[in-house]
Amino acid sequence: AQSVTQLGSHVSVSEGALVLLRCNYSSSVPPYLFWYVQYPNQGLQLLLKYTTGATLVKGINGFEAEFKKSETSFHLTKPSAHMSDAAEYFCAVSEGNAGNMLTFGGGTRLMVKP
Amino acid sequence: DVKVTQSSRYLVKRTGEKVFLECVQDMDHENMFWYRQDPGLGLRLIYFSYDVKMKEKGDIPEGYSVSREKKERFSLILESASTNQTSMYLCASSPGVSGTDEQFFGPGTRLTVL
């Protein structure tokens, strides 16, 4: 069975500061990993995903994440936070089954202070 | 752009009522999913469907059923609503071509059961 842990349900940063949202997973097979973002009163949208190949993945809005197999981690970063980044972020893992099922972490709410 | 729509943004029902939540996608996707979202628990899969009239239980199917009579439409049914089913419900779809497919989400329905 696969699982996802997001350390920190709330993270607060100042505008212009580094954003680091942590995600650790467990999976019995090489995983596919996703980060989704949810803005207030909206559904989720994909930020980035790792499938195979380069372990540093770039996504939309300046976000990137690095797959580290030895640490079973897929942390999300952005060099400089913007007010518009305030949202809830979800890490998810898939084992690549035909049903494309995802297992989600508990989410991290990012707050950006002016 | 893929569009996933849900019939209501907000819904208030009474305990014991039968509740229908409707989801429609316009991109001919094979897979459709229903999740519930609760603070700190992330998204949990209720049911998914990989073809018309086909359904599979997710992690928390108790108290719910689903129907998929047409490819574009996936309904979630609460046979007898209870207060512990007060939650945000999210529908998603994915192409079903690959296990690495992105899921596309609707805006969600916030259901309150009194």
Side-chain angles (χ1 to χ4, degrees), chain B residues 84-113:
Chain B
N84 62 12
Q85 293 178 309
T86 291
S87 187
M88 170 71 87
Y89 290 88
L90 291 168
C91 175
S93 71
S94 71
V97 174
S98 162
T100 65
D101 288 339
E102 171 188 354
Q103 290 186 18
F104 295 84
F105 285 81
T109 295
R110 186 167 295 282
L111 173 66
T112 302
V113 183

Side-chain angles (χ1 to χ4, degrees), chain A residues 29-83:
Chain A
V29 299
Y32 302 120
L33 296 156
F34 302 77
W35 275 100
Y36 283 84
V37 61
Q38 185 180 34
Y39 297 104
N41 298 316
Q42 294 185 28
L44 279 68
Q45 65 182 87
L46 183 71
L47 267 180
L48 50 81
K49 67 179 180 182
Y50 169 79
T51 55
T52 59
T55 56
L56 182 63
V57 180
K58 294 187 186 299
I60 61 172
N61 301 336
F63 284 92
E64 61 184 34
E66 187 170 12
F67 169 58
K68 292 187 176 181
K69 185 178 178 181
S70 60
E71 298 178 8
T72 61
S73 69
F74 191 55
H75 301 331
L76 182 71
T77 60
K78 182 175 180 177
S80 177
H82 192 272
M83 296 296 291

Side-chain angles (χ1 to χ4, degrees), chain B residues 69-81:
Chain B
E69 297 295 322
K70 293 186 177 181
K71 191 174 185 179
E72 67 271 19
R73 186 179 298 268
F74 192 35
S75 302
L76 180 69
I77 303 153
L78 288 66
E79 294 288 343
S80 178

Side-chain angles (χ1 to χ4, degrees), chain A residues 97-101, chain B residues 25 28-33 47-57 66 68 70-71 74 92-97:
Chain A
N97 48 46
N100 179 224
M101 286 183 287
Chain B
Q25 51 95 2
D28 201 36
H29 283 174
E30 300 293 330
N31 296 341
M32 296 189 74
F33 308 82
Y47 269 96
F48 77 98
S49 168
Y50 52 89
D51 199 355
V52 175
K53 296 191 187 293
M54 306 301 289
K55 60 186 180 185
E56 293 286 343
K57 293 180 180 179
V66 290
R68 194 170 180 197
K70 293 186 177 181
K71 191 174 185 179
F74 192 35
S93 71
S94 71
V97 174

